[in-house]
Amino acid sequence: QLVESGGGLVQPGGSLRLSCAASGFSLDSYSIGWFRQAPGKEREGVSCISRSGESIDYLDSVKGRFTISRDNAKNTVYLQMNNLKPEDTGVYYCAAPCAWSLLGYYGMEHWGKGTPVTVSL
């Protein structure tokens, strides 16, 4: 089971750190991805990190603002989100595994229930 936490309400320009914790299995066996779904829109891939953490991919619109990382000892993957914008609003999900190509992210089998992020004044 994957469990996300850390969402909330933040003003534009603010920061949040999301966490994705696993129970029942070891996250270090999987690459992990973060996804988001804004109201009325399709879910989109935000970032994906390999098992070792050496390979990372980001959605173009979050590059330079979001940082994905993992602490396998804590069985947790993080998404540090800085300089948040209203268009970052949505429910954020983590998923495992996660692979990527020019066509997008694929291969996800396990999903968390999500944590909501609202960026607004």
Side-chain angles (χ1 to χ4, degrees), residues 15-121:
S15 298
L16 286 173
R17 189 177 79 157
L18 306 184
S19 298
C20 172
S23 62
F25 65 98
S26 294
L27 274 184
D28 61 6
S29 299
Y30 294 89
S31 54
I32 303 294
W34 282 99
F35 298 77
R36 67 187 181 188
Q37 187 166 20
K41 295 187 177 181
E42 293 187 355
R43 188 177 299 182
E44 65 177 351
V46 174
S47 183
C48 188
I49 186 169
S50 64
R51 289 172 55 187
S52 67
E54 293 182 352
S55 295
I56 291 174
D57 185 75
Y58 292 103
L59 180 70
D60 283 347
S61 63
V62 308
K63 286 180 180 177
R65 300 188 297 120
F66 290 11
T67 303
I68 191 171
S69 62
R70 65 189 304 156
D71 186 338
N72 288 336
K74 294 183 178 180
N75 217 26
T76 303
V77 172
Y78 304 98
L79 185 68
Q80 177 67 42
M81 306 187 296
N82 298 328
N83 190 21
L84 282 160
K85 303 176 180 181
E87 52 264 41
D88 295 318
T89 294
V91 179
Y92 282 69
Y93 303 86
C94 61
C98 179
W100 63 91
S101 71
L102 292 177
L103 298 179
Y105 295 165
Y106 62 95
M108 296 73 66
E109 298 177 355
H110 310 285
W111 293 86
K113 294 183 178 181
T115 184
V117 171
T118 302
V119 185
S120 179
L121 292 172

